[in-house]
Amino acid sequence: MILALSVIMLLFEAGVSSSSSGLENQIFQYIDLHQNEFIQTLKEWVAVESDSIQPERRQNVTQMVELTADRLRAMGATVELVKLCSHKPDVQSLLLPPLILAELGKDPQKPTVCFYGHVDVQPAKKEDGWKTDPYNLTEIDGNLYGRGATDNKGPVLAWINAVESFRALKLDTPVNHKFIIEGMEEAGSLGLEEIIKENQRFFSDVDYIVISDNLWLSNRKPALTYGTRGNICFSVEVQCGERDLHSGSFGGIIHEPMTDLIALLDSLVDTSGRILIPGVYDDVASLTEEEKKLYEAIEFDLEEYKNNTGVKKFLYDTKEEILSHLWRYPSLSIHGIEGAFHEPGIKTAIPAKVIGKFSIRQVPHMDISIVKRQVIKYLEDVFSKRNSPNKLKVSVPISAMPWVADINDPLYTAARTAIKTVFGQDPEMIRDGATIPIAQMLQNITRKSVMMLPIGAADDGEHSQKEKISRYNYIQGTKLFATLFLEIAKLHGQLQEASNTTTAN
Amino acid sequence: MILALSVIMLLFEAGVSSSSSGLENQIFQYIDLHQNEFIQTLKEWVAVESDSIQPERRQNVTQMVELTADRLRAMGATVELVKLCSHKPDVQSLLLPPLILAELGKDPQKPTVCFYGHVDVQPAKKEDGWKTDPYNLTEIDGNLYGRGATDNKGPVLAWINAVESFRALKLDTPVNHKFIIEGMEEAGSLGLEEIIKENQRFFSDVDYIVISDNLWLSNRKPALTYGTRGNICFSVEVQCGERDLHSGSFGGIIHEPMTDLIALLDSLVDTSGRILIPGVYDDVASLTEEEKKLYEAIEFDLEEYKNNTGVKKFLYDTKEEILSHLWRYPSLSIHGIEGAFHEPGIKTAIPAKVIGKFSIRQVPHMDISIVKRQVIKYLEDVFSKRNSPNKLKVSVPISAMPWVADINDPLYTAARTAIKTVFGQDPEMIRDGATIPIAQMLQNITRKSVMMLPIGAADDGEHSQKEKISRYNYIQGTKLFATLFLEIAKLHGQLQEASNTTTAN
């Protein structure tokens, strides 16, 4: 009953959209009518336990990648399965699933859109607290529950469904398609960067890159993501001797490395969350009037957010402060200490060597090497004031750049129009406070326009025991992607026209 | 060859001791002549892998306790094996070795001396880096290497050898003997306190208690231990929500529990090792002139100490400062954090709940409950100034009182004389910075004189991969105990005489 109502609702929505053209209506109708088939395919995909974290599931990931490749081939795409094993030789190299590089259409008159997605998932077990079988997609009240439903099998299939809809209707596809689909995203995208670098020719004729691997900011309002924060991870090592000492036999006569480290970590950030390292805010981009307006336009329910996160009080009270401190200002978090006692109970040792771990989420236009220098100098200064005979060593084991796109780029214009067409409202222009290296990686290596276009809602619970995508979001997302193809094609026509006019002059 | 030389050296030393009586000489000669038998027995004891830490070795501990009981019975002692299982009912209760309560002699005219020792050991494996088989006592250059050689099988056997020597020589034993020997010391003396409390009758006729389970301060100079520090272990818990959060998605907008905890821990102690909690030093006993002289008299080689410990620079430069800060002043050590990331590598989480662990080694006349109150109040004050919405909880999971004895107690006088007789020099009067609850426990429950009388040297490496006792220390230690019996008997005679004189008046 609910099912039938949803279908009617979707048909109704598709019908009333004021800005949709005849062609769009034809496609929307097709998508609505075939929604149960699309859901059936998603059910088949979710059924494959393509968990990339646990090595014993690795062959399911490979199976999932092959299933995806078959689906793409069935649409007529040329698929190359690139082996990852040669790029990251390790003990598990034989088990690494291949990466998909696929293409469909080579019309030089059409723009080429490359879609990035992944078909591996986070681990999930019924006994973790799932109300449904995580590998049996189950619809409850219009929501499709299952591992990978929103992260990222649903969006990948929505894109494929959109491409497929044109083919099924025997309509000329408005754009050429390329696909980069991986099976190791949840395990840190092993080998991905190397493959992108080695296959730059694959990207040479790509005009636009779309990633759909994040969520809207709210449960109901569509969003476009134009930035993510970067991250610099620091290790601060303080060493006294070679072996741990007994706190009874040595407490009171030695400079304990733990006391030094605690003081160093305590010097990093104040109670208001402000980073105390001199100069660290110097290169943070100043907030423009245009950007300010973006924040004002965002619908953000603070109470809903508190409930979703379980945090009762934030450092800030207003929407603008909260979002800007998550998205466009740096933050510093202390994660833990290696080498000290960490178990339940008591161990009265003085650890000989302790390593503090903290990270700075950095934002445009902070420079990783400058921040690194500032942090090291600061910690060395703080340490030298302690007159400790212990040894200090600060290092940066890992870092990733922030990413920000120009929201006035034609790709974003096309997506805004498509969102308005499908959802009847303008998207929220959002960023992500987390670091999603793929966007910056693709933008950096290919130098193409990159956009993150989520179709899942804020409450989709990616990685949780209640992961879902709603039927509404999955099907409207499919329409959104189809509309985006048309908008990009229009854009391309306009751009070509403009270019021809210029040439004619 | 080395063996023969050692024997001659020991005989020689016994012979020249100026203050030894004819009776003592007779006993010393017996001990010297039978030293290889004593070493053979120690070899048999060391061969039993009575490791009380690893449950799979538990039956060896029981075997070792029974071997000890047999040895005591062979001397004519009455032995009671007290079951521990009824006192600490847990899953491993059936495997707990019994505790020995034994007695030998019931002459009401004689003083009764109770000896405490243990026959369990720390784990040891050849592959841990032992140069010899840890369970095959091996003599190299006059040192007897093996697990338990000094901690504590050697000293327990030295005491038994001393008692045995009187019996073998058909000499009247100068004192009545009691023994409390356990097999779970290295595992935290499970159930010991309860048994002592329940067997107060056993202690009712005990006059003196001697523990020989620690080491001299130096490699060559004998020592008498009259105090140990206590310990109060604190847990400081700071909690935000129920689950860890992603530092990208929440960094910059929440009061991170880890930042709060780091600030709390950083407020405890300054760079000079001074505890910053107001009032904590108020009840520390002031240094008397008599005590000062004890420190001055101690031979302490700072360079040797640095080499032994691997610490290049201490907080203090003089012997007096170092020893007094180890023994008679409190210290605070931060041990670690539970709930935060502690592994190698990176995990960019904001932990929801973190628990800092630190401990204060406290000294006379600090009161555990006062210190606890001071620490909790201080941490709550520091925390309230941060205006954090997180929850703070401070608790004391474990604490043990310090112990200090009156060095002018007759027992100490007897031991000093015995040491002077056997080693030809006065003992160093030392304390231990660590917490050895048995001394305070026995003193507190029985209200008798308690003394710690070590026979192992500073470099005996208890718990290490080069644990040993030297032949010299083992055999002279046996003589020391035999002499102590005689001195205590003399003391008792004097005390009785004095008491009779008083009665006669």
Side-chain angles (χ1 to χ4, degrees), chain A residues 229 231 233 240-241 243 245-256 258-259 262-263 265-266 269-271 305 308-311 313-316 322 325-326 331-351 357 359 361 386 389 397-398 432-434, chain B residues 229 231 233 240-241 243 245-256 258-259 262-263 265-266 269-271 305 308-311 313-316 322 325-326 331-351 357 359 361 386 389 397-398 432-434:
Chain A
R229 290 196 290 188
N231 205 7
C233 296
C240 172
R243 60 188 173 94
L245 296 171
H246 190 290
S247 70
S249 310
F250 292 92
I253 62 162
I254 69 166
H255 299 263
E256 302 191 10
M258 190 69 172
T259 315
I262 292 288
L265 295 177
D266 190 31
V269 63
D270 72 11
T271 52
Y305 193 63
N308 282 352
T309 58
V311 175
K313 193 177 177 336
F314 292 100
L315 282 164
Y316 305 96
I322 287 177
H325 279 91
L326 268 185
S331 66
L332 188 150
S333 298
I334 303 168
H335 307 298
I337 294 171
E338 179 187 341
F341 180 62
H342 60 265
E343 288 167 40
I346 297 295
K347 187 184 173 193
T348 53
I350 300 173
K357 315 279 179 87
S359 66
R361 297 277 165 181
R386 294 183 62 79
I398 199 169
D432 198 313
Chain B
R229 290 196 289 189
N231 205 8
C233 297
C240 173
R243 59 186 173 95
L245 296 171
H246 190 291
S247 70
S249 310
F250 291 91
I253 62 162
I254 69 167
H255 299 263
E256 302 191 11
M258 190 68 172
T259 314
I262 292 287
L265 296 177
D266 190 31
V269 64
D270 72 11
T271 53
Y305 193 63
N308 282 352
T309 57
V311 175
K313 193 178 176 336
F314 292 101
L315 282 165
Y316 306 97
I322 287 178
H325 278 90
L326 268 184
S331 66
L332 189 151
S333 297
I334 303 167
H335 307 297
I337 295 171
E338 178 187 342
F341 180 62
H342 61 265
E343 287 168 40
I346 296 296
K347 187 185 173 193
T348 53
I350 299 173
K357 316 278 178 83
S359 66
R361 297 278 165 181
R386 295 183 60 81
I398 198 169
D432 199 314

Side-chain angles (χ1 to χ4, degrees), chain B residues 186-433:
Chain B
E186 300 293 356
S189 291
L190 281 183
L192 179 65
E193 187 163 6
E194 290 84 345
I195 287 185
I196 295 174
K197 281 184 182 159
E198 286 170 18
N199 288 274
Q200 294 214 37
R201 227 185 29 180
F202 177 84
F203 296 98
S204 62
D205 55 358
V206 167
D207 299 288
Y208 306 105
I209 298 175
V210 179
I211 300 164
S212 184
D213 190 21
N214 65 323
L215 301 176
W216 296 349
L217 183 65
S218 82
N219 297 347
R220 277 163 300 272
K221 217 169 170 209
L224 253 176
T225 305
Y226 65 97
T228 59
R229 290 196 289 189
N231 205 8
I232 314 179
C233 297
F234 289 89
S235 281
V236 191
E237 179 185 302
V238 183
Q239 181 162 16
C240 173
E242 289 303 318
R243 59 186 173 95
D244 293 357
L245 296 171
H246 190 291
S247 70
S249 310
F250 291 91
I253 62 162
I254 69 167
H255 299 263
E256 302 191 11
M258 190 68 172
T259 314
D260 283 340
L261 178 63
I262 292 287
L264 290 169
L265 296 177
D266 190 31
S267 73
L268 296 169
V269 64
D270 72 11
T271 53
S272 71
R274 194 172 168 84
I275 303 171
L276 299 171
I277 297 149
V280 94
Y281 290 97
D282 287 357
D283 295 330
V284 174
S286 42
L287 187 69
T288 63
E289 280 305 312
E290 187 194 4
E291 202 186 339
K292 235 183 205 169
K293 278 183 199 141
L294 291 180
Y295 286 95
E296 284 162 15
I298 289 170
E299 281 175 26
F300 180 79
D301 185 335
L302 187 57
E303 287 311 309
E304 182 188 283
Y305 193 63
K306 281 182 185 171
N307 286 340
N308 282 352
T309 57
V311 175
K312 290 193 187 76
K313 193 178 176 336
F314 292 101
L315 282 165
Y316 306 97
D317 297 320
T318 70
K319 171 181 74 179
E320 287 81 359
E321 283 174 311
I322 287 178
L323 295 180
S324 63
H325 278 90
L326 268 184
W327 295 347
R328 56 120 44 242
Y329 290 118
S331 66
L332 189 151
S333 297
I334 303 167
H335 307 297
I337 295 171
E338 178 187 342
F341 180 62
H342 61 265
E343 287 168 40
I346 296 296
K347 187 185 173 193
T348 53
I350 299 173
K353 182 167 92 173
V354 283
I355 308 170
K357 316 278 178 83
F358 69 92
S359 66
I360 297 178
R361 297 278 165 181
Q362 96 277 22
V363 294
H365 309 292
M366 291 167 78
D367 182 293
I368 290 179
S369 61
I370 294 176
V371 173
K372 186 178 162 181
R373 217 159 44 232
Q374 288 166 336
V375 171
I376 292 177
K377 187 189 177 316
Y378 177 68
L379 287 175
E380 284 174 350
D381 286 353
V382 172
F383 189 67
S384 75
K385 288 197 189 100
R386 295 183 60 81
N387 283 319
S388 168
N390 296 327
K391 276 184 201 140
L392 171 70
K393 204 163 83 187
V394 186
S395 61
V396 174
I398 198 169
S399 62
M401 284 169 67
W403 167 71
V404 71
D406 175 6
I407 59 166
N408 297 315
D409 184 280
L411 180 60
Y412 282 80
T413 310
R416 277 177 203 246
T417 310
I419 287 171
K420 180 90 180 172
T421 302
V422 174
F423 293 97
Q425 54 185 329
D426 287 316
E428 298 195 304
M429 299 304 292
I430 66 170
R431 296 203 202 181
D432 199 314

Side-chain angles (χ1 to χ4, degrees), chain B residues 54-74:
Chain B
Q54 301 179 90
E56 65 270 25
R57 293 268 74 82
R58 200 62 57 80
Q59 61 189 37
N60 297 96
V61 184
T62 302
Q63 181 195 343
M64 187 63 228
V65 171
E66 280 161 4
L67 194 64
T68 310
D70 290 344
R71 189 87 184 75
L72 292 168
R73 282 191 203 101

Side-chain angles (χ1 to χ4, degrees), chain B residues 11-43:
Chain B
L11 285 167
F12 176 74
E13 292 205 21
V16 295
S17 183
S18 57
S19 59
S20 54
S21 68
L23 179 57
E24 277 158 2
N25 279 338
Q26 192 187 351
I27 293 163
F28 291 179
Q29 207 166 1
Y30 176 84
I31 294 171
D32 282 332
L33 284 170
H34 292 82
Q35 58 182 280
N36 286 344
E37 288 161 41
F38 296 150
I39 289 169
Q40 181 54 32
T41 313
L42 181 56
K43 196 179 175 80

Side-chain angles (χ1 to χ4, degrees), chain B residues 491-505:
Chain B
L491 196 73
H492 196 69
Q494 285 159 12
L495 290 175
Q496 279 199 321
E497 210 165 286
S499 151
N500 290 343
T501 315
T502 314
T503 316
N505 284 350

